[in-house]
């Protein structure tokens, strides 16, 4: 197992991915205490809110209030998501830890369905956003390629399309004098298997050996943790994941676009295999239990229900 | 991905593993129609019932009635489970497709907790059972090693203990002139990760290169599908799994010993990666939906809720 990375960064997506898709109206104070608890687990970043149209995503109407009420810990990034200029300007006033992201889709059909813009228009928009980030002194370190493993609107996505779109992102960054740190590949609608993870990740790493590769995985069809493992084998060292398996993409075109890969299940696997996440698993399980209480429903995480192995090891020693 | 097997056998465990743990009393006719539907999916084997003490497992009190009422298809094995001589005699009269299994536990603590017998007593019992199988002309092809990846009673299980217990099984078979076809490694209580799967499977394959290796996996801590993938990479070509993710071991010592790895999720992953299962995924999803109806509860399978990729590929072509 010597080819697994020694250490990975976990970006917690539960507050954003989970709350934006929830049909239950959640109280601002519950969102705040959930984010604050997550920030105490040791994750590198908590994605707190999205600055999107409150008519489309009513649970994000209080994004500014959530950001304002947070008591922040040192050593954790409290991030937010935006999809356009208007969202960015809101994010900029929120006081969150912003980082610009170059956001492209490997499938043009998804881009059109998701934002109404094709690839060329999206690139032009991203170029304008990069100029705005520069003006606002907001750093840009990663590009994210959506639908990198398949698309509900465009079908299978060739590896060459992912590499080509990643190249456009690298070029866009270079135009602004930015050297990217990494490329995040998103299985936006849950098509990936370990085999496609291997193919796409190895193609991207071969083309850009000095860039980190991250994965944003959904567990739509049960392969989420397996896909994370396949990524680890090929040097992926950053994962987006959701506490308790919260989440799903409300615009993905079908209601089964279920949650992100579950943070505590991913942390369990990594730590058991000797891959350090920096995350305190017991605290993350407490957050998952808090999420079930706040959301008022059983959530799909497994380790939160089964518990860790610690008590059995103690009994067996 | 050239190291993955071209073809794997799926043994469907849902009727036995799922029904034995259900707290809801299920009707015999529902059990029968569930098994009959599963037998039409293309799985190699359906494990239909267990011949165990009805006082401990009330839902198996009608095991004989279920077996008697089945309309059987050609090309599918309708198997049953027993744990002792009394159970075997009941199974023998049931008309099911019996095969003797050498059943040992890598953790003696589990063996004692599960059956009241230590390793030496278990071996003596298995020796007597083999003699009885021979007398009854029941074939013996596989050995199964329980708690091969960890134990809630004994803690971590060294690889050497698994290999040593597998050697005892091979020797037991040889005493009776039986050449085993394979060794099934069971993650009875959900401790395995892809790393431990690799270690244990590769040790067993190295010692017995001509034997098949199977995996009986539980998804207790979310690693079930990832563990199956790790097994595939090391040549495992037989999996026990449960439709809709039904199951769990009622004697595993904690209530979170959740379901087996989910059949349709496993089939989805295999088929998408070019590993043939012989299973019709659409039919297996229909069985999973039938299981939710019969059990009257949402079940943990993912593909059954998200659907396959076929409709999106059609739309995108």
């Amino acid at each position: 197992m010597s080819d697994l990375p020694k250490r990975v960064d976990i970006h917690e997506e539960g507050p954003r991915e989970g709350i934006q898709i929830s049909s239950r109206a959640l109280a601002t104070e519950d969102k705040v205490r959930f984010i604050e608890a997550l920030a105490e687990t040791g994750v590198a970043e908590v994605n707190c809110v999205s600055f999107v149209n409150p008519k489309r995503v009513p649970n994000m109407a209080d994004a500014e209030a959530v950001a304002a009420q947070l008591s922040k810990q040192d050593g954790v990034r409290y991030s937010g998501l935006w999809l356009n200029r208007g969202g960015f300007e809101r994010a900029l006033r929120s006081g969150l830890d912003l980082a610009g992201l170059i956001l492209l889709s490997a499938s043009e059909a998804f881009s059109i369905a998701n934002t109404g813009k094709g690839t060329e228009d999206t690139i032009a928009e991203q170029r304008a956003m990069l100029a705005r980030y520069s003006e606002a002194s907001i750093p840009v370190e990663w590009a994210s390629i959506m639908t990198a493993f398949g698309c509900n609107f465009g079908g299978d996505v060739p590896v060459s399309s992912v590499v080509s779109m990643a190249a456009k992102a690298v070029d866009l960054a270079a135009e602004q004098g930015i050297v990217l740190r990494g490329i995040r590949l998103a299985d936006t609608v849950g098509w990936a298997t370990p085999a496609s993870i291997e193919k796409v990740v190895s193609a991207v790493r071969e083309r850009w050996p000095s860039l980190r590769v991250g994965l944003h995985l959904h567990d739509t069809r049960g392969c989420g943790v397996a896909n994370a493992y396949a990524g680890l084998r090929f040097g992926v060292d950053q994962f987006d994941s959701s506490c308790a398996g919260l989440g799903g993409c409300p615009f993905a075109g079908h209601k089964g676009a279920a949650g992100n890969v579950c943070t505590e299940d991913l942390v369990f696997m990594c730590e058991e295999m000797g891959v350090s996440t920096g995350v305190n698993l017991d605290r993350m399980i407490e957050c998952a239990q808090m999420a079930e209480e706040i959301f008022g429903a059983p959530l799909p995480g497994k380790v939160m229900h089964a518990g860790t192995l610690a008590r059995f090891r103690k009994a067996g020693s």
Side-chain angles (χ1 to χ4, degrees), chain A:
Chain A
M1 303 307 302
S2 58
D3 53 348
L4 301 185
K6 292 210 170 1
R7 157 90 204 193
V8 296
D9 289 331
I10 305 278
H11 293 185
E12 172 56 42
E13 297 282 321
R16 185 187 68 75
E17 288 261 15
I19 291 170
Q20 77 180 11
I21 205 177
S22 174
S23 56
R24 181 184 172 119
L26 302 179
T28 303
E29 66 195 37
D30 283 336
K31 299 173 188 175
V32 169
R33 74 186 167 100
F34 183 42
I35 294 165
E36 288 176 349
L38 287 165
E40 289 184 6
T41 61
V43 291
E45 177 172 334
V46 183
N47 202 342
C48 301
V49 294
S50 49
F51 296 96
V52 290
N53 186 340
K55 286 184 188 146
R56 285 188 84 182
V57 189
N59 250 326
M60 286 297 160
D62 61 350
E64 281 85 351
V66 169
Q69 289 176 33
L70 289 173
S71 297
K72 295 184 185 169
Q73 305 285 322
D74 286 343
V76 186
R77 289 180 44 82
Y78 297 77
S79 61
L81 178 85
W82 58 89
L83 299 171
N84 54 33
R85 176 72 182 258
F88 172 66
E89 300 302 334
R90 289 174 61 197
L92 196 56
R93 291 188 297 266
S94 73
L96 290 178
D97 302 320
L98 304 195
L101 183 71
I102 299 175
L103 196 60
L104 299 174
S105 172
S107 160
E108 184 159 31
F110 182 82
S111 181
I112 291 169
N114 199 28
T115 66
K117 292 187 175 68
T119 300
E120 287 314 311
D121 288 348
T122 302
I123 287 174
E125 184 186 45
Q126 293 293 303
R127 183 177 287 118
M129 292 297 291
L130 286 177
R132 179 71 189 107
Y133 299 151
S134 168
E135 191 180 78
S137 301
I138 298 298
V140 178
E141 299 182 341
W142 286 75
S144 183
I145 310 297
M146 293 184 287
T147 58
F149 303 95
C151 172
N152 291 356
F153 303 102
D156 288 297
V157 172
V159 176
S160 59
S161 299
V162 183
V163 173
S164 154
M165 202 56 67
K168 290 183 198 294
V170 170
D171 291 348
L172 258 178
E175 281 177 23
Q176 304 278 338
I178 297 162
V179 178
L180 290 178
R181 281 212 195 165
I183 294 173
R184 186 174 301 123
L185 303 168
D187 183 25
T188 313
V189 286
W191 282 52
T193 63
S196 61
I197 294 281
E198 287 197 22
K199 278 182 206 150
V200 178
V201 170
S202 57
V204 168
R205 289 193 68 88
E206 196 169 312
R207 174 78 178 263
W208 296 282
S210 65
L211 291 186
R212 294 175 66 184
V213 177
L215 283 174
H216 178 100
L217 299 171
H218 284 252
D219 195 29
T220 314
R221 293 180 175 82
C223 287
V225 174
N227 291 339
Y229 171 65
L232 285 171
R233 289 189 55 242
F234 283 77
V236 170
D237 66 355
Q238 186 273 319
F239 292 93
D240 291 352
S241 62
S242 275
C243 177
L246 282 165
C249 174
F251 315 129
H254 70 109
K255 70 190 165 108
N260 286 59
V261 66
C262 171
T263 305
E264 64 275 14
D265 293 359
L266 177 62
V267 167
F268 170 81
M269 179 179 75
C270 287
E271 297 284 341
E272 284 286 322
M273 300 197 305
V275 176
S276 171
T277 62
V279 176
N280 181 309
L281 183 54
D282 291 325
R283 284 194 187 171
M284 187 56 75
I285 289 172
E286 287 166 18
C287 290
Q289 290 161 343
M290 180 191 288
E292 284 200 333
E293 174 227 316
I294 291 174
F295 284 78
L299 293 170
K302 300 282 186 181
V303 171
M304 68 179 288
H305 300 117
T308 71
L309 302 178
R311 68 194 188 282
F312 301 120
R313 288 204 168 105
K314 208 166 178 183
S317 67

